[in-house]
Amino acid sequence: MAKRVVDVLVPVALDRAYSYRVPDGLAVAPGDFVSVPLGAREATGVVWAENPAPDIRLDNRLKDIESKLDYPALRPELRSFVEWLANYTVSSRGMVLRMCLRMGEHLGEERERIGVRLAGAPPARMTPARARVLAALDDGMVRAKSEAAREAGVSAGVIDGLVDEGTLQTVVLPPEPVAENPDPDFTQPEFSTDQRMAADALKATIAKDGYSVTLLDGVTGSGKTEVYFEAVADAIRKGRQSLILMPEIALTAQFLDRFAARFGVRPAEWHSELTPRKRARTWAAVAKGEVPVVVGARSALFLPYADLGLIVVDEEHDPAYKQEDGVHYHARDMAVVRGHIAKIPIVLSSATPAVETETNARRGRYARVALPERFGGQRLPSVEPIDLRAAPPPRGRFISPMLAGEVKIALERKEQALLFLNRRGYAPLTLCRACGFRFACPNCDAWLVDHRFKKQLVCHHCGFGLPHPHQCPKCAAVDSFVACGPGVERLEEEVHELFPEARVLVLSSDLVAGIERMREEFAEIAQGLFDIVIGTQLVAKGHNFPMLNLVGVVDADLGLSNGDPRAAERTFQLLHQVVGRAGRDAGIGRGFLQTHQPDHPVMRALIAQDREAFYDAEIELREKTHYPPFGRLASIIVSGGDKHETASYARELARWAPLNENMKEGVRVLGPAEAPLALIRGRHRMRLLLKAPRHYDLSAYMRRWLAKAPKRRGSIKLDIDIDPQSFL
């Protein structure tokens, strides 16, 4: 009798599943984790399907499954999601599965937690420290050793001494839970009329138990978070899990505190900074249904939820939701797909929705729940332009006299000011005054950025760095280098000169050591420990600073200076969010935009606070030019170590595009052309861009094209991105 055969998918860069025989007596089903031989090693895989008709000619060559692993099986919903995402992104199923398998293998046994409790007679020699321990444990409760020492104000050695004398007894404690269970009725929020109506609308979607997408569209400071917490509370009451996606989970200490204030405890977190052990425990707890709420970065979308009932995508417009390495996917769009497969509601929350989301809401594909006013009656900040053509800063400075005067007034009122510049480092360019030599990265098509804090010139694309030079490598001039343009570090220098008494903090991802320190700095701003904050886009992501009433954007034109078709949308969203940090708690918020283009449509919309006018114009332009959401885009980056070989292969690849379909279906293949960043990490880059009608299956077209594409030579690689967000 022939043995049973199943197909097993392994988390490697392969699209196919491998067939394995099931040993007698081993019960496995689709979704089960198994250990299988793969080449010369053992690999963890997932039983993907039965193979009812294996090729009997291969029977003797098939290998047996080694063992079944003790992990909760992947549910059909998640397996379907893996299949859908792999097909859509033109990725291998194995690589998509890999994103789901973060169970933390080979970590070894977890260390036991040891607790202590009173069990015997007092010690023969009593000291004040020992007396404090006995008093702390007098209630007979078991405490972890570290907790007992902290509560009594003694060292761990005092606890160990009392254990040795028999006064205390050690007890093995159960593993600490990943997160405590949140209480949906811990506090009842005080809502405005608009908030109550919005919360009731979201709760109604939870009650329906089916797929839906709702845009929670509220101005900055309107209390969107507290509103969608009510949907989370209803999911908890129904015993189902909720996922809250955030663009920068590592920076959201305020959010976690607000969650704890509403539900009594913090949620489970999922992001790249978790320790391997914490990731393994969180993954397992989510799979077993022991975690009701997960707050996570985009990768949390791939956790194996036991019973997912709600997905919230906070700041859904944020570019950080796009995964640019490996499998290219947009977490917001894939959250909608997973919700559709799982038949659960999705909430997209933003003050500045993506053009795609806004269009879907306008056309009725998504429901819209609006919060048009700030909570507590606070007014939205006024926005004024500072025309740098008419009133430029003094030579060598970057803060105009008008903005400096406004900051001075804010400081006199004991209010905080935020100066926003979305450029890290000290200066974006360093050149020699004697000969004009510019420092460029040897591995990338980019200038090196001056970082005075690190005392280095650094490439922001590959990380290459070199110490500040004293002599020009071209003309040998000594101390001839000059920094061109401002970064946040240079802005800090200028602020100290203008306001020497002010307490200044620079917020930039390359200046803070670790997540916890960054969270501490956000808390210190909220407590009023700094007068002036200088920040990059980190400060735009939903933070609440009660004493901040003035925002100055030092270079409002910065995001408009590239050829990205989404440049206007991203600039509008970023500046709107930054200015929205002002006046959220008390006082009158004011925003100032330093610009050379006060008549640009983005600037006019921001100054007039006419969001609808911006979306009307941007949607009309997208529809005319057939850009998303009114058309489809895909990008192919051909990269290689040799420039001529890379360009040659890109041209050859373009010749193999299915031309008949192009003409019949309206698909256009543009390029190949050098990518705007033509060299990154020593690899030369050519780009092809595909445009297609909105309903055309661009993924299938791409697969047909690549199936007959010429074989790649040497170091050539292809990077495929369906629905690209970056055009570099």
Side-chain angles (χ1 to χ4, degrees), residues 313-329:
V313 185
D314 201 1
E315 307 288 358
E316 62 85 28
H317 64 277
D318 199 292
Y321 282 123
K322 178 70 177 187
Q323 171 72 34
E324 298 288 3
D325 299 320
V327 178
H328 293 263
Y329 68 92

Side-chain angles (χ1 to χ4, degrees), residues 4 6-11 22 26-36 43-50 65 67-76 79 97 101 103 283:
R4 179 184 168 206
V6 295
D7 292 336
V8 175
L9 191 62
V10 289
V22 180
L26 183 65
V28 295
D32 285 342
F33 285 83
V34 291
S35 179
V36 294
T44 295
V46 176
V47 177
W48 212 246
E50 293 285 341
I65 292 173
S67 61
K68 179 180 174 181
L69 303 177
D70 188 22
Y71 298 119
L74 284 194
R75 299 177 67 246
R79 301 201 305 275
L97 176 66
L101 306 189
M103 74 287 281
W283 188 95

Side-chain angles (χ1 to χ4, degrees), residues 358 362 610-621:
E358 176 66 20
R362 290 186 177 198
D610 193 346
R611 199 190 78 164
E612 296 308 305
F614 170 76
Y615 281 114
D616 289 345
E618 189 68 13
I619 288 171
E620 182 182 1
L621 179 63

Side-chain angles (χ1 to χ4, degrees), residues 94-272:
M95 290 304 290
V96 178
L97 176 66
R98 187 176 183 177
M99 297 190 293
C100 303
L101 306 189
R102 303 293 168 89
M103 74 287 281
E105 296 179 278
H106 315 304
L107 293 178
E109 291 295 320
E110 189 168 358
R111 191 170 62 184
E112 288 184 335
R113 294 176 65 229
I114 302 298
V116 292
R117 66 181 172 199
L118 280 175
R125 186 174 65 86
M126 182 65 74
T127 65
R130 288 181 165 188
R132 290 200 301 273
V133 174
L134 299 189
L137 299 179
D138 191 44
D139 57 9
M141 300 293 289
V142 176
R143 289 170 176 77
K145 286 175 67 175
S146 58
E147 181 187 350
R150 186 172 60 251
E151 196 173 322
V154 302
S155 68
V158 176
I159 304 294
D160 291 335
L162 289 171
V163 170
D164 292 341
E165 293 209 26
T167 303
L168 300 184
Q169 178 187 40
T170 59
V171 180
V172 176
L173 298 175
E176 191 174 8
V178 168
E180 301 289 343
N181 286 331
D183 178 1
D185 301 308
F186 182 75
T187 56
Q188 293 302 318
E190 294 182 13
F191 280 153
S192 66
T193 302
D194 286 339
Q195 283 181 310
R196 174 51 60 197
M197 291 173 62
D200 288 344
L202 293 187
K203 291 168 75 172
T205 66
I206 298 294
K208 285 179 185 175
D209 267 344
Y211 166 73
S212 65
V213 183
T214 302
L215 169 61
L216 179 56
D217 182 1
V219 299
T220 55
S222 59
K224 296 183 291 295
T225 302
E226 283 72 17
V227 167
Y228 70 64
F229 276 170
E230 296 311 292
V232 173
D234 268 16
I236 294 170
R237 291 185 186 103
K238 295 180 75 169
R240 305 196 71 183
Q241 293 170 300
S242 297
L243 165 63
I244 303 173
L245 287 177
M246 307 201 81
E248 297 283 352
I249 182 63
L251 309 177
T252 52
Q254 281 187 349
F255 175 87
L256 299 174
D257 290 340
R258 289 160 76 182
F259 188 96
R262 172 63 182 84
F263 295 103
V265 296
R266 286 189 166 200
E269 293 183 61
W270 184 266
H271 51 79
S272 60

